[in-house]
Amino acid sequence: MEIRVMMGDIFKFLDESSLKAKDFDKKHEFLIDGFLPSELITMIYSAGGSGKTFLAYGITSKLCKMGKKVFYIDFDNPVNVLKERRCDELLINRYENLRYIQRSSLQMHPFELILELENSAVKGTYKDCVFVLDSLVNFCDLFNDNRLMRLFDALKNMREAGATIIILHHANKDGKNYQGSTCIRNAIDCMYKLSQKPANSGELNFVLEVAKERAAIVDSAFNLKVDTLELRELEKSVANMSEYEFGFTSKATAILKANERLSKTEFLNALGYEKDDKTARECLDKFDGKLWFSNKVGKSIFYSGSGSSTTIQLSYDEAEKSLFASHKMAVNE
């Protein structure tokens, strides 16, 4: 008789714990369209010095403005570096919905912290919460599969309780893949490889290539203003500019800013090119409609500034000497 009661209880428990039709009605949402899916685990990896942390700061600022509860767990950067980056001014003191947890403020190993967070991970607990882990190497031995699997089990339970999780991670020596065990790839939902691209002084441009996806994410590009942490989407063709294209477009936009309208010949001459220079003409065409606009009047083509937000806004003198090396910021992770 006692066994029958126990069997009845367990089947009732299993029935109550089973997925129902209504559980599949939920549409997947993005916190940042096409880039950051909600309630999934997303990993971003790159070589050291590529600006992962700065990108994460920009994402944090954007999500805080959206009203999300953001928990930035930083076991990588010391407090003096955070001060140099003005984290207190730009993040911690600015957003009441941000909690910045750093090594010195937590008397606990980060692995144990994740397990503590897991203890509260019941359905809905972490709805509208975003956790940023900076960076994975500080949370677990990257080649200890058992330890990694336990870490990611905890993160998955947090995900199922409504959390969106962003993990920053390092690339291996050749920069082509991430460091550590293959079980890392199996455990996460989405993964990006990050590259830093040429940008104006005081700004960073990023391209993020999809390395694994479960939510129809796409390759994305962003511009970050370091002094404000303003994060803007960037046209990928602009973000992927070569050194030549960056120098060309920097000078071109500076010229158009000083001139309301120029014919193609006038424009090319101002840039220092002959009108039949093939490379220059190809560059004009490639960024037409993105960084400037062309308008055909009779047989002539005229160019004007786009009037839209762009990352290419240097003065003429700056544009004259604009090269990748002079504009790429030296950023420590």
Side-chain angles (χ1 to χ4, degrees):
M1 184 68 176
E2 184 178 353
I3 295 177
R4 288 181 180 176
V5 172
M6 291 177 62
M7 289 295 290
D9 287 345
I10 191 63
F11 286 125
K12 181 180 178 181
F13 171 77
L14 291 173
D15 180 64
E16 292 173 348
S17 301
S18 299
L19 289 173
K20 307 296 189 295
K22 64 180 182 179
D23 294 320
F24 295 92
D25 292 338
K26 183 179 178 181
K27 293 183 179 180
H28 205 86
E29 299 178 353
F30 279 86
L31 299 184
I32 300 177
D33 286 345
F35 170 67
L36 182 61
S38 64
E39 300 184 18
L40 289 182
I41 302 171
T42 298
M43 187 173 84
I44 300 170
Y45 75 91
S46 72
S50 298
K52 290 187 297 294
T53 296
F54 272 100
L55 174 62
Y57 288 167
I59 294 171
T60 295
S61 179
K62 187 178 184 71
L63 296 181
C64 283
K65 290 176 183 176
M66 293 167 56
K68 303 300 178 183
K69 301 172 186 175
V70 182
F71 301 87
Y72 200 111
I73 307 173
D74 185 351
F75 270 71
D76 191 22
N77 302 289
V79 173
N80 64 322
V81 170
L82 301 185
K83 182 65 177 179
E84 289 173 4
R85 295 174 177 176
R86 299 168 59 208
C87 285
D88 53 341
E89 176 186 346
L90 297 176
L91 288 174
I92 298 170
N93 298 334
R94 178 175 291 181
Y95 302 113
E96 293 183 357
N97 50 333
L98 169 66
R99 295 294 179 268
Y100 201 109
I101 300 162
Q102 195 266 352
R103 185 184 293 269
S104 64
S105 67
L106 182 72
Q107 304 305 312
M108 178 186 296
H109 191 279
F111 181 89
E112 301 301 328
L113 172 61
I114 299 302
L115 299 188
E116 284 293 323
L117 292 170
E118 180 193 24
N119 288 336
S120 299
V122 295
K123 189 172 184 179
T125 301
Y126 294 128
K127 181 175 173 56
D128 292 325
C129 293
V130 180
F131 294 86
V132 183
L133 279 57
D134 187 358
S135 57
L136 184 59
V137 67
N138 302 110
F139 286 77
C140 191
D141 181 348
L142 300 178
F143 295 94
N144 186 328
D145 284 0
N146 290 333
R147 191 84 162 167
L148 279 168
M149 290 175 65
R150 181 66 190 95
L151 175 71
F152 279 104
D153 276 345
L155 293 174
K156 288 176 182 179
N157 287 331
M158 292 169 61
R159 176 194 67 189
E160 296 309 310
T164 299
I165 300 169
I166 302 169
I167 300 173
L168 304 186
H169 190 28
H170 296 282
N172 56 18
K173 289 183 179 180
D174 63 14
K176 294 180 179 179
N177 208 338
Y178 64 83
Q179 291 181 9
S181 168
T182 56
C183 79
I184 296 173
R185 181 183 182 88
N186 297 332
I188 61 172
D189 299 305
C190 301
M191 178 165 60
Y192 292 99
K193 178 183 177 182
L194 176 145
S195 301
Q196 189 183 147
K197 299 295 181 178
N200 294 331
S201 178
E203 299 181 5
L204 297 172
N205 287 343
F206 303 103
V207 170
L208 293 109
E209 300 174 273
V210 174
K212 178 184 178 181
E213 65 92 9
R214 282 182 177 170
I217 59 173
V218 296
D219 292 351
S220 301
F222 296 96
N223 166 256
L224 178 74
K225 291 186 177 297
V226 176
D227 285 343
T228 63
L229 298 184
E230 178 188 359
L231 187 70
R232 300 179 296 171
E233 286 190 53
L234 188 62
E235 167 65 44
K236 286 189 282 293
S237 64
V238 175
N240 279 312
M241 286 190 294
S242 65
E243 296 180 32
Y244 169 81
E245 289 172 338
F246 184 75
F248 182 98
T249 56
S250 296
K251 186 175 180 181
T253 52
I255 290 170
L256 288 176
K257 190 174 182 180
N259 296 273
E260 185 174 343
R261 191 175 76 157
L262 292 172
S263 69
K264 177 177 277 191
T265 300
E266 291 171 333
F267 196 13
L268 287 170
N269 286 342
L271 285 162
Y273 296 94
E274 298 295 330
K275 64 179 182 179
D276 58 351
D277 189 295
K278 182 179 178 181
T279 304
R281 291 167 69 96
E282 287 177 348
C283 207
L284 282 183
D285 293 339
K286 181 174 181 178
F287 297 101
D288 190 10
K290 301 180 180 72
L291 300 178
W292 46 74
F293 285 114
S294 65
N295 182 35
K296 192 170 185 179
V297 180
K299 294 183 178 180
S300 299
I301 298 177
F302 292 87
Y303 289 85
S304 60
S306 67
S308 61
S309 61
T310 175
T311 62
I312 311 298
Q313 296 178 342
L314 303 183
S315 69
Y316 186 86
D317 290 339
E318 287 176 315
E320 279 286 312
K321 57 185 180 181
S322 175
L323 289 174
F324 174 76
S326 63
H327 287 281
K328 181 178 180 181
M329 292 188 63
V331 179
N332 295 320
E333 291 290 339

